[in-house]
Amino acid sequence: MTPFDALKAQLSAVVPFAAYVGVTLEEIAEGRATATLAQSHNTSNHIATMHAGALFTLAEAASGAAMAGMFLERLAALRPVAAGSTIAYARPAKGTITARANVDGEKAALFAALDGEGKVRFPVTITMEDAEGREVARMSVDWHLSALAKAA
């Protein structure tokens, strides 16, 4: 099992809302992640497409996994918070939706900011596609990471 596989299992366990909705983390790597959500009765809206809130949950979970993958070796000493987000819906989403998240920023620069200031803020961009590869939505999540205070 790779460290990214262990992270995937841990994130799936510690984010109960995403699991409740049905989000599956498929892959986590350094600064990127893929997650899926199958449409069901519980994730649908009044016009039989994926509910906007379900799409938001899918994208936010993928963004958190990408962020965690970027900071994997330091994650236990950090406090990550999603500080803001924007989402744009391109077309009705039906069936299984795949979210692909990528950290916007170079690892060395992000770590340098964290080391210099004790915190760093950066966006993660997420694209969501249906099974035919058509973009259904795009989202950006601004993550804020701060170093945990060390015990005296």
Side-chain angles (χ1 to χ4, degrees):
M1 176 182 282
T2 71
F4 292 113
D5 291 332
L7 176 61
K8 183 170 67 169
Q10 182 182 16
L11 288 177
S12 296
V14 300
V15 185
F17 183 71
Y20 174 77
V21 171
V23 172
T24 301
L25 293 174
E26 302 291 346
E27 177 199 21
I28 301 175
E30 185 176 288
R32 63 185 167 84
T34 303
T36 57
L37 179 59
Q39 185 178 2
S40 70
H41 174 75
N42 291 333
T43 62
S44 296
N45 59 24
H46 63 290
I47 58 172
T49 62
M50 184 91 60
H51 191 280
L55 289 170
F56 185 97
T57 299
L58 170 63
E60 196 274 341
S63 78
M67 171 278 301
M70 180 66 89
F71 290 87
L72 179 61
E73 64 262 30
R74 295 191 184 184
L75 201 55
L78 297 173
R79 180 177 174 259
V81 175
S85 62
T86 59
I87 190 166
Y89 304 98
R91 68 173 54 244
K94 290 186 176 187
T96 298
I97 305 302
T98 300
R100 290 180 179 82
N102 291 287
V103 171
D104 296 340
E106 296 297 322
K107 185 175 183 173
L110 295 171
F111 275 54
L114 182 60
D115 291 339
E117 301 172 32
K119 61 184 176 181
V120 64
R121 187 173 178 149
F122 57 92
V124 175
T125 300
I126 309 97
T127 57
M128 289 171 272
E129 297 178 345
D130 63 18
E132 286 76 43
R134 297 176 299 200
E135 185 174 296
V136 298
R138 180 173 292 267
M139 186 163 148
S140 178
V141 177
D142 290 329
W143 281 93
H144 180 269
L145 277 65
S146 56
L148 294 174
K150 294 182 181 176

